[in-house]
Amino acid sequence: MDLRQLRYFIALTEYRSFVRAAEAMGITQPAFSRAIQNLEQTFGCALVDRANKALPPTPEGQVVVQHARRLVQGAAQLNNEVLQMTKLDAGELHFGSGPALAVRLVPAALRQFIEQRPGIRTALLVDNAERLGQALRREQIEFFVDDIRPFEADPNFHTEALTPRPGLFFCRPGHPLLAKDSLSTNDLFAYPLASALLAPGVRKRLANLSGRSDFTPHLQTEHLAVLRSVVLASDAIGAASEEAVADDLANGTLVRLHWRNLPPGLEVLSVRCGVISRSGYRLSPAARAMIDTLVSLDAAPAPASEAHRRSPPRHSPGAPHRTARGS
């Protein structure tokens, strides 16, 4: 048994096809099959159910693949850490980010990190919190940045808080709601809602406000470009983090909506950002350096131009209104 055989078996459990797994690993199918057979001979049992077209792992195979992932990841981590220690500016970093933080904070941190450590190869996974958590459990990434609330109570995760990102509702210029002097939450539910993925607690509060037993937005997506396009091309109301649409709000491409009777509880639309890693797991020097960069940039005061973009627009008497405010 060697790491190469374990990598092949992991690939087989993922692709469920000898042909596709062999192609993914860059070897011929006969050579791949022989490697799997040799691994089975080493353990003295079948590791995959060949009678089933889906090629599921046998019970023994499930145990092997669990350990194989840890061994392969551990070997990669060992090589990476030694390389970083000996060369100081080498190795790889794999981390993740939720879509909201991938708009500003993470790109800014990457620019600084790449400039300071050009020898480290970095891979960023942008996805929702659930899939990022799965990737972290599988040791495909060392950490990720996103909303920490789903992970705070889980002893398998360590969380480090960053500055919360406020959420908001917005629409396109010329939306019918902008002609009203004051908006109530009844107006909110008169139009389709397009939002980033909402936590169950947010959905429950929205359901209570709408008088329904449950509430599901007409569109939920983590692809901010899609969300933005839908809002710009329709009367849908958008809901996302302020950071995600800050430039559009600043230049008037999108317009912030204010509701006079929105309960404080809906502040959970905000993202309680933070760094999520595995408890008891020693981060690589590159991962720690990236986290330090993220924390430093997050704590830095916003430049004057940035603060201006984030502040609600002011209107002089007689100027055309670009936002709808509650009274």
Side-chain angles (χ1 to χ4, degrees):
M1 176 182 62
D2 58 33
L3 288 175
R4 176 180 54 86
Q5 292 174 329
L6 295 178
R7 290 190 184 96
Y8 292 168
F9 184 59
I10 292 171
L12 181 59
T13 62
E14 292 176 348
Y15 287 94
R16 300 299 177 93
S17 164
F18 279 87
V19 174
R20 291 198 301 272
E23 290 176 351
M25 300 306 294
I27 65 171
T28 64
Q29 190 270 327
F32 183 89
S33 297
R34 285 195 299 273
I36 298 299
Q37 290 170 355
N38 291 338
L39 186 63
E40 290 178 319
Q41 290 174 2
T42 299
F43 287 110
C45 61
L47 299 179
V48 63
D49 184 1
R50 292 171 174 79
N52 189 323
K53 290 184 178 180
L55 294 177
T58 63
E60 295 84 355
Q62 291 175 357
V63 173
V64 171
V65 75
Q66 290 174 2
H67 287 275
R69 287 196 176 100
R70 287 197 291 268
L71 289 169
V72 169
Q73 291 289 339
Q77 180 189 350
L78 173 61
N79 180 70
N80 189 36
E81 289 196 28
V82 172
L83 189 61
Q84 290 183 42
M85 292 175 67
T86 55
K87 294 189 176 181
L88 300 179
D89 188 21
E92 296 182 351
L93 168 63
H94 296 256
F95 76 104
S97 171
L101 291 175
V103 175
R104 290 180 177 276
L105 178 62
V106 170
L110 281 170
R111 287 193 295 269
Q112 182 171 317
F113 186 83
I114 291 171
E115 181 179 348
Q116 295 175 347
R117 297 171 176 81
I120 296 178
R121 298 182 300 277
T122 305
L124 171 65
L125 172 64
V126 179
D127 214 325
N128 63 47
E130 181 179 357
R131 286 194 284 268
L132 288 171
Q134 292 172 352
L136 186 59
R137 290 186 184 93
R138 295 171 183 166
E139 302 183 12
Q140 296 169 342
I141 56 177
E142 288 195 70
F143 71 91
F144 65 93
V145 285
D146 199 21
D147 196 328
I148 63 176
R149 285 172 294 189
F151 306 96
E152 285 181 305
D154 191 329
N156 295 309
F157 295 103
H158 171 75
T159 60
E160 183 176 351
L162 297 173
T163 305
R165 264 59 179 180
L168 78 164
F169 294 96
F170 54 90
C171 66
R172 63 172 177 82
H175 193 286
L177 286 179
L178 299 180
K180 303 186 70 171
D181 292 330
S182 179
L183 299 179
S184 73
T185 48
N186 290 333
D187 297 307
L188 168 62
F189 300 106
Y191 295 91
L193 179 65
S195 75
L197 295 182
L198 297 179
V202 180
R203 287 178 53 188
K204 183 177 180 180
R205 286 179 171 85
L206 288 172
N208 292 338
L209 284 172
S210 65
R212 309 172 194 176
S213 58
D214 191 14
F215 181 85
T216 301
H218 292 75
L219 169 66
Q220 288 192 91
T221 178
E222 292 290 4
H223 292 278
L224 296 173
V226 173
L227 175 60
R228 176 182 178 275
S229 296
V230 169
V231 173
L232 285 172
S234 70
D235 283 342
I237 296 171
S241 73
E242 182 177 354
E243 184 169 329
V245 292
D247 287 338
D248 286 314
L249 294 174
N251 62 34
T253 307
L254 294 171
V255 184
R256 180 194 305 260
L257 291 169
H258 299 265
W259 318 94
R260 67 171 182 268
N261 58 342
L262 194 65
L266 270 181
E267 290 178 358
V268 291
L269 278 174
S270 299
V271 180
R272 279 188 52 209
C273 298
V275 179
I276 300 99
S277 58
R278 283 175 289 148
S279 296
Y281 174 81
R282 190 167 69 88
L283 294 167
S284 69
R288 192 64 257 173
M290 174 57 80
I291 292 174
D292 290 344
T293 302
L294 288 163
V295 171
S296 175
L297 290 175
D298 178 71
S305 58
E306 178 73 7
H308 174 73
R309 286 202 300 267
R310 290 184 180 179
S311 63
R314 300 186 179 204
H315 308 289
S316 58
H321 281 251
R322 303 302 301 266
T323 62
R325 297 185 179 275
S327 57

